[in-house]
Amino acid sequence: MTDAAKAAEKPRSQWADVWAQFRSHRGAMIGMGFFVFICLLVIFGPMLWDIAPNKIDIRAKNQGPSLAHPFGTDQLGRDTFAQVLAGGRVSLLVGVTAMAISLFLGTLVGVLAGYFKRLDSPLMRLTDLFLALPILPLLLVIIMLFRDPLRAAFGPEKGIFILVVFVIGITSWMHTARIVRGDVLSLKEQEFVLAARSIGTPPHRMILRHILPNVLSPIMVSATLGIATAIITESAISFLGLGFPSDFPTWGRLLSDSTNFMSLHPERVIWPGLAISLTVLAVNYIGDGLRDALDPRIRGR
Amino acid sequence: MLNYTIRRLLFAIPVLLFISFIIFLILDLAPSDPTGNLPLTIPPEVREKIRQSLGLGEPMYWRYLMWCKQFFINEPLNIWDQWMGTCSFNCEDRLRVISYVTRSPVVDLIVERLPQTLWVVGMSYVVGILIAIPVGVISAYRQYSIFDQAGTFVSMVGYSVPPFFSGVLVIVIFSVQLGWFPSIYDTTLKVTDWASFKMQLRQMVLPVMVLALQTTAQISRFMRASMLDNLNMDYVRTARAKGMKERTVLLVHVLRNSLIPVVTVIALAVPSIFGGAIITEQVFKVNGIGQLLIIGIQGGDAPLVQTLTFIFAVLIVLFNLIADILYGILDPRIRYD
C-alpha cells in the first residue's frame, strides 16, 4: 500500500476539516496571506531596512517616492517607509495584546456566568452596564487623565502602551462574554456534561476539559474581530492626538501627523491609512472565513 | 407592553445613576487641576480661591450630589422656564452646571453645538439607510451574483476603513485634487438664498458620504441576511403559488417582514453613530458636540466632559430601550410579559 493511500484512509480530524473549509474561502486565504506578510514585514523589516525611523535628515525633507525612500520622506526628512514599519510593530502589538486581554476577560465572565447559576445575574448586569458606557469618550477621558502618572511610573512609551492596551482591553470584552455565556448555557444541558458530572468531575476540570474546548470556535472568531477593532481604536486615539508621543510612530499617529500637510503632500496620507485599512480588512476576512469554517452546519456543504 | 416599558424605564434609572457616578469617579480620581492652564503669575492663594469658587473644596460625594441636583433638577426646570417664559422656584439663584473653562452653563454650550452634529450625523444616517435597504434587498434577491459580491466587498471595506482615513482620503481626492467640495465644514454659513443653500449642500457632501459609508456597510448586511431568512419561508411560496406578481411578493410580503429586525438594528446603532461622529467632526472641523468633547477633555473641563459623556450614555440606554420596544410592537410573536 502506498503512502498516499494510507493517508487517504486515515480518519479526518476536526481541525483538518476546518482547515479544508477555510481554504475554500478565497477572501479569507488572501486575507491570511496578507496578514502573515504584514506581520513578517513589521517584525523583520526594520532589521533589513537600515534607515532608523527617527533619523532626521533635514536636507532630504518632503521628498516624493524614490529608490532611497520608497514611500518618500516627511517634513523633517525622516523615512516614511521605516516609520510605517516601526508604527506597524506598535499598532499590531497593541491590537494583539488588547485582544488577548479582552478575550481573557470575556471568556472568564462568559464561562463563569454560564456555568455558575448564582453568578449569572450579577455578571450579566455588569456586562449590560459596560455595554451602556459610551466607550470612545471614556477611552479619551481615561487616557487624557491617567497619561502622566503612568508615564512617570513606566517611562513615556511603555506607560502609554500599558494604558492604551488595558483601556481597550477592559472596554471591549462584553460581546465575547455574551456569546460565550450563551454557548456555555446550551452546552451545560448536553448529555456529555451530565455524564462527566456523574463520575464526579470537579467544576474547574469540567470547565477546562469539557466546556472550554467546545466554546473555542466563537472565541476564535471574536479574537480575530477583536484584533481589528483594537487596531482601529488605537489608531483613532492616536489620530485624536491622545495616544503615543509624537516621536513614537504608530499608524494612527503617522496618519494624524500627515493630515497637517494634506494639501501640500497628499500622497503622504496614503501609506499609514492604507496600512491600517488593509490590515483590518485582512483580519476581517480571516474572521469571516473562520466563522464559516468553524460552523459545522456550513462545513461539509 | 406598557407594563414592560414602564419596568424597563424604571430599571434604566439606577443604571444611568450608576454610570454617571462611574464617570464622575473617573474624572475625580484623575490628578488633573482645572487651574493648571491659568497663567503662572497668579499667586497660590488666589489660585486656591479660584479652586474654591469652582467648588473643589467640598468632599467628593457632595460634589457628585450637587452635579446630580444641577443636572437632573435645575437644568430641566430651566428648560421649562425658557419654554414657558416663566420663573418657577426662584429661578434667579438656581445653580446650573457651569463649565470650568468658559464659565457658561454647559447645557447652553451643548445646545449651541447640537444642530451642527444633528445635521451632519442625522443626514448621513438617513442617506446611509436609504442606500443600504435597496442594496440589501437586491443582494439577497440575486444571491451570489456580481452585485451581491460587490456589495459584500464594499461593506467589508466600509467596516474596515476607519472614518479618519476615509475622511482624509475623500478630502485629498475631492477637495485637494479635484476642488469640487470644501474640506472644512463652515458652521457660520446661513442658508438665506439659493447660492448659500448650494454651498451648504456642497460642504455637507463629504462628511455625510464618509459617515454614510459606515452606516451602509452595517445595515445592508443585516438587510441582506434578514431578506435571505424570509425568502425561504413558506409564506413566500404560498404568495407565489397564488399567482402574485414577483414585485408584490418581494416588496410587500418579504420586505415588510424583513424590515422588522433591521429597524431594531437601525435604532441600536444610533448612539454609536454619535460616537463615530466625534472623529468625523475632527476630520472635517465641524464644531459639533464631538469637537466640544475633545476640547473639554484637553482643557480638563470636568463638568463639561461629565455632562456630555453622560448624555452619550443616556442615548445608548434610551435607544436600546426603543429598539426592544419597537421589536415588540412590530413583531406580534414577541411578547415580553
Side-chain angles (χ1 to χ4, degrees):
Chain A
M1 201 188 271
T2 60
D3 283 343
K6 236 185 241 166
E9 272 175 20
K10 233 172 38 181
R12 295 167 60 84
S13 78
Q14 186 198 355
W15 293 108
D17 271 1
V18 169
W19 175 238
Q21 174 68 32
F22 186 78
R23 274 216 327 233
S24 69
H25 194 299
R26 192 147 39 101
M29 281 312 279
I30 297 172
M32 180 109 134
F34 183 79
F35 189 62
V36 170
F37 169 72
I38 282 277
C39 285
L40 291 178
L41 199 66
V42 300
I43 292 169
F44 297 109
M47 298 175 190
L48 302 172
W49 187 253
D50 49 5
I51 302 177
N54 47 9
K55 180 175 171 271
I56 294 175
D57 180 7
I58 201 80
R59 267 177 299 182
K61 68 174 180 179
N62 292 335
Q63 280 184 353
S66 65
L67 257 178
H69 305 289
F71 287 4
T73 57
D74 68 358
Q75 76 280 7
L76 293 173
R78 291 175 294 192
D79 182 50
T80 307
F81 184 59
Q83 283 195 310
V84 169
L85 287 183
R89 269 190 176 184
V90 184
S91 291
L92 286 181
L93 197 61
V94 167
V96 171
T97 324
M99 174 275 288
I101 293 173
S102 97
L103 214 59
F104 174 76
L105 279 176
T107 312
L108 187 73
V109 171
V111 167
L112 288 181
Y115 193 81
F116 299 104
K117 212 169 198 158
R118 206 175 322 148
L119 291 176
D120 189 17
S121 170
L123 281 178
M124 279 301 113
R125 289 291 85 73
L126 184 76
T127 315
D128 288 346
L129 200 78
F130 262 84
L131 278 172
L133 288 177
I135 296 300
L136 190 62
L138 270 190
L139 274 179
L140 298 176
V141 169
I142 294 175
I143 287 176
M144 187 67 193
L145 298 176
F146 294 92
R147 196 150 60 157
D148 296 328
L150 272 168
R151 233 184 230 170
F154 297 101
E157 277 124 38
K158 214 188 249 171
I160 297 283
F161 181 82
I162 293 172
L163 182 62
V164 168
V165 160
F166 262 89
V167 166
I168 296 177
I170 58 172
T171 49
S172 59
W173 53 269
M174 293 82 75
H175 292 285
T176 318
R178 279 194 160 178
I179 297 167
V180 169
R181 169 182 173 266
D183 275 25
V184 171
L185 278 180
S186 71
L187 270 177
K188 228 173 65 176
E189 302 302 317
Q190 291 192 8
E191 272 155 7
F192 74 92
V193 175
L194 189 66
R197 187 178 294 150
S198 68
I199 57 170
T201 317
H204 66 93
R205 195 173 306 145
M206 191 79 127
I207 289 171
L208 291 178
R209 278 274 179 78
H210 300 288
I211 304 280
L212 267 187
N214 282 301
V215 291
L216 208 59
S217 37
I219 294 177
M220 278 169 71
V221 173
S222 52
T224 49
L225 300 180
I227 294 182
T229 35
I231 290 176
I232 288 201
T233 313
E234 185 274 323
S235 312
I237 295 167
S238 295
F239 182 79
L240 293 173
L242 288 167
F244 290 91
S246 59
D247 53 343
F248 193 66
T250 73
W251 284 340
R253 179 96 243 165
L254 289 174
L255 184 63
S256 139
D257 287 348
S258 50
T259 46
N260 297 331
F261 301 91
M262 192 161 56
S263 46
L264 291 172
H265 303 283
E267 75 283 348
R268 208 185 286 158
V269 179
I270 307 292
W271 302 116
L274 214 56
I276 299 171
S277 310
L278 286 180
T279 309
V280 172
L281 190 66
V283 172
N284 276 340
Y285 263 113
I286 296 174
D288 218 32
L290 262 184
R291 193 189 338 237
D292 287 0
L294 290 168
D295 190 344
R297 281 169 303 180
I298 294 177
R299 202 164 64 219
R301 255 212 322 233
Chain B
M1 203 65 216
L2 188 69
N3 222 333
Y4 173 78
T5 314
I6 293 170
R7 210 170 37 188
R8 281 287 302 266
L9 274 174
L10 287 180
F11 186 69
I13 293 171
V15 169
L16 283 174
L17 276 177
F18 194 71
I19 288 173
S20 74
F21 186 65
I22 291 177
I23 300 170
F24 189 84
L25 214 59
I26 291 171
L27 282 168
D28 199 73
L29 281 176
S32 83
D33 182 10
T35 60
N37 289 336
L38 295 176
L40 289 170
T41 47
I42 295 176
E45 59 269 20
V46 178
R47 201 175 278 266
E48 194 49 42
K49 282 233 174 79
I50 296 174
R51 289 174 54 83
Q52 295 289 339
S53 76
L54 293 174
L56 285 169
E58 313 285 344
M60 200 206 70
Y61 72 91
W62 183 252
R63 275 180 290 134
Y64 174 66
L65 289 179
M66 282 306 286
W67 180 83
C68 283
K69 181 179 173 240
Q70 287 165 1
F71 186 80
F72 292 114
I73 300 171
N74 291 359
E75 290 294 348
L77 276 178
N78 192 58
I79 291 170
W80 173 259
D81 281 353
Q82 272 184 357
W83 266 1
M84 294 301 176
T86 57
C87 179
S88 50
F89 305 108
N90 49 343
C91 64
E92 275 80 24
D93 39 86
R94 187 189 296 142
L95 272 179
R96 302 182 63 189
V97 188
I98 301 287
S99 152
Y100 282 166
V101 177
T102 60
R103 309 304 314 247
S104 57
V106 165
V107 174
D108 291 358
L109 285 177
I110 296 172
V111 168
E112 219 167 70
R113 302 292 192 111
L114 205 56
Q116 288 88 292
T117 301
L118 280 183
W119 257 113
V120 176
V121 172
M123 189 57 90
S124 70
Y125 210 49
V126 172
V127 170
I129 292 166
L130 287 182
I131 299 173
I133 288 178
V135 167
V137 171
I138 300 173
S139 312
Y141 193 63
R142 305 230 175 279
Q143 201 188 0
Y144 303 127
S145 67
I146 298 195
F147 185 89
D148 185 26
Q149 309 258 349
T152 310
F153 181 72
V154 170
S155 70
M156 218 40 168
V157 170
Y159 268 122
S160 308
V161 180
F164 47 86
F165 181 51
S166 52
V168 169
L169 202 64
V170 294
I171 289 181
V172 165
I173 295 173
F174 293 108
S175 153
V176 177
Q177 304 283 348
L178 298 172
W180 289 355
F181 305 111
S183 71
I184 290 176
Y185 187 92
D186 176 15
T187 41
T188 57
L189 186 76
K190 291 263 183 305
V191 179
T192 48
D193 51 356
W194 179 245
S196 62
F197 177 71
K198 249 176 40 188
M199 191 63 216
Q200 172 71 17
L201 270 189
R202 276 184 55 207
Q203 69 178 0
M204 276 182 73
V205 168
L206 292 186
V208 166
M209 214 159 80
V210 166
L211 277 172
L213 175 68
Q214 311 247 309
T215 316
T216 311
Q218 268 189 28
I219 292 174
S220 71
R221 287 302 90 187
F222 275 107
M223 190 69 223
R224 175 178 179 270
S226 169
M227 284 288 284
L228 282 178
D229 280 350
N230 274 295
L231 275 172
N232 293 326
M233 294 285 221
D234 286 341
Y235 75 83
V236 180
R237 197 185 313 145
T238 311
R240 281 189 184 133
K242 282 196 299 186
M244 286 179 142
K245 269 182 268 164
E246 192 63 20
R247 250 179 91 89
T248 323
V249 173
L250 194 67
L251 295 184
V252 177
H253 292 219
V254 182
L255 180 64
R256 278 178 56 157
N257 282 303
S258 315
L259 274 175
I260 295 171
V262 176
V263 166
T264 62
V265 170
I266 289 173
L268 278 178
V270 169
S272 69
I273 207 82
F274 273 94
I278 295 176
I279 293 166
T280 317
E281 283 181 5
Q282 205 69 10
V283 173
F284 291 98
K285 316 270 189 295
V286 184
N287 58 349
I289 51 172
Q291 206 201 22
L292 188 67
L293 180 74
I294 303 277
I295 295 173
I297 290 173
Q298 282 168 347
D301 195 347
L304 176 64
V305 176
Q306 159 92 27
T307 309
L308 258 183
T309 319
F310 183 66
I311 290 176
F312 277 116
V314 172
L315 281 178
I316 296 176
V317 173
L318 191 70
F319 277 98
N320 269 321
L321 182 62
I322 290 176
D324 282 353
I325 292 171
L326 269 182
Y327 205 57
I329 292 173
L330 293 177
D331 191 342
R333 289 168 300 184
I334 307 283
R335 279 289 164 261
Y336 292 111
D337 302 315

